[in-house]
Amino acid sequence: MRDGRLVMEVKNDAVTIGGEHIGIAEASVLYGMYGQYIGMQAVRLGSTLDQVKDTLLDVHLAAMQLLTEQLIKEGRDPDGGEDEAETDDAEGDPGAGCI
């Protein structure tokens, strides 16, 4: 994994996320770690593991629906009809598109 930075900010009830040198592999690891952290906190506060799984799955599915809608709005193929040059990182790792 290469060096990168992900910044999440909450200000006036709005959440923004930005990053540098974060490819899909790095972002996926961060996403998984964040989900695990949220899940552990929810269990500590009394939620069951099934409640955590259901809630995190609902959040994931909603995020993917919004992503699909955004791609369609931009006139892009949500099933991956992009030019490879747009999604490959500078090191030439196919499929490691930067986020």
Side-chain angles (χ1 to χ4, degrees), residues 5 15 21 53-54 67 76 92-93 95:
R5 186 171 90 131
V15 178
H21 309 292
K53 288 179 180 180
D54 288 345
L67 174 60
R76 298 172 69 183
D93 182 9

Side-chain angles (χ1 to χ4, degrees), residues 66-77 82 86:
L66 289 171
L67 174 60
T68 300
E69 291 169 7
Q70 180 180 350
L71 291 173
I72 290 169
K73 184 178 177 181
E74 293 175 2
R76 298 172 69 183
D77 180 2
E82 290 183 341
E86 293 180 25

Side-chain angles (χ1 to χ4, degrees), residues 10-75:
V10 180
K11 190 173 185 178
N12 298 325
D13 294 328
V15 178
T16 58
I17 298 174
E20 297 173 350
H21 309 292
I22 300 291
I24 190 71
E26 294 87 1
S28 295
V29 170
L30 292 169
Y31 181 72
M33 291 174 68
Y34 192 60
Q36 182 180 3
Y37 173 78
I38 290 170
M40 185 57 73
Q41 295 305 314
V43 168
R44 286 183 179 146
L45 293 172
S47 296
T48 66
L49 182 57
D50 281 340
Q51 289 171 323
V52 170
K53 288 179 180 180
D54 288 345
T55 300
L56 290 177
L57 179 58
D58 289 345
V59 168
H60 170 75
L61 293 174
M64 294 303 101
Q65 181 61 38
L66 289 171
L67 174 60
T68 300
E69 291 169 7
Q70 180 180 350
L71 291 173
I72 290 169
K73 184 178 177 181
E74 293 175 2

